[in-house]
């Protein structure tokens, strides 16, 4: 099933990405056909919704691991980044700035 648990799916370039119980699946937007399904490291208890750029999908797990996945018809993990803390909220994105809140702090990640 492609139905998410708590995380909202994200659509990029004709594909819908769904994270549920630590498993990321990708489906064609038009047909719903599953293109891939892959368990993500550190995302088994993710409650934050996915977010995306034109080239990547981002999945933040509760433990602070952000899996960066290249968009496309097959799974390719570009990197995994870690922030200390406990995360339940979906990051806020504005332009090149990402605000990520854990239970005690607010991080600002910005591209120069």
């Amino acid at each position: 099933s492609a139905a998410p648990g708590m995380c909202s799916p994200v659509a990029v370039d004709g594909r819908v990405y769904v994270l549920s119980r630590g498993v990321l699946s990708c489906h064609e937007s038009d047909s719903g056909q599953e293109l891939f399904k892959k368990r993500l490291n550190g995302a088994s208890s993710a409650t934050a919704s996915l977010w995306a750029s034109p080239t990547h999908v981002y999945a933040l797990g509760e433990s602070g691991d952000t899996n960066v996945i290249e968009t496309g018809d097959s799974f390719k993990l570009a990197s995994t980044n870690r922030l200390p803390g406990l995360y339940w909220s979906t990051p806020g994105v504005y332009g090149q700035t990402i605000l990520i809140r854990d239970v005690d702090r607010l991080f600002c990640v910005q591209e120069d």
Side-chain angles (χ1 to χ4, degrees):
S1 165
M6 293 182 71
C7 309
S8 295
V10 68
V12 181
D13 196 26
R15 296 173 198 88
V16 176
Y17 297 85
V18 179
L19 180 61
S20 181
R21 296 176 182 85
V23 177
L24 179 72
S25 59
C26 176
H27 306 264
E28 288 183 347
S29 295
D30 292 340
S31 68
Q33 176 185 350
E34 185 176 278
L35 300 171
F36 67 79
K37 184 182 269 190
K38 179 75 174 174
R39 178 161 297 283
L40 298 179
N41 293 330
S44 62
S45 58
T47 56
S49 295
L50 300 171
W51 74 98
S53 70
T55 57
H56 293 92
V57 172
Y58 303 86
L60 172 64
E62 285 185 5
S63 65
D65 289 332
T66 299
N67 289 270
V68 182
I69 300 98
E70 291 184 14
T71 56
D73 292 343
S74 60
F75 179 84
K76 183 166 183 190
L77 182 66
S79 65
T80 301
N81 304 306
R82 173 167 274 217
L83 288 173
L86 181 60
Y87 298 85
W88 295 322
S89 301
T90 300
V93 180
Y94 179 75
Q96 300 297 317
T97 302
I98 302 170
L99 297 174
I100 304 172
R101 183 178 64 87
D102 79 348
V103 295
D104 297 315
R105 295 165 289 206
L106 178 66
F107 294 95
C108 178
V109 181
Q110 189 170 24
E111 186 175 326
D112 291 330

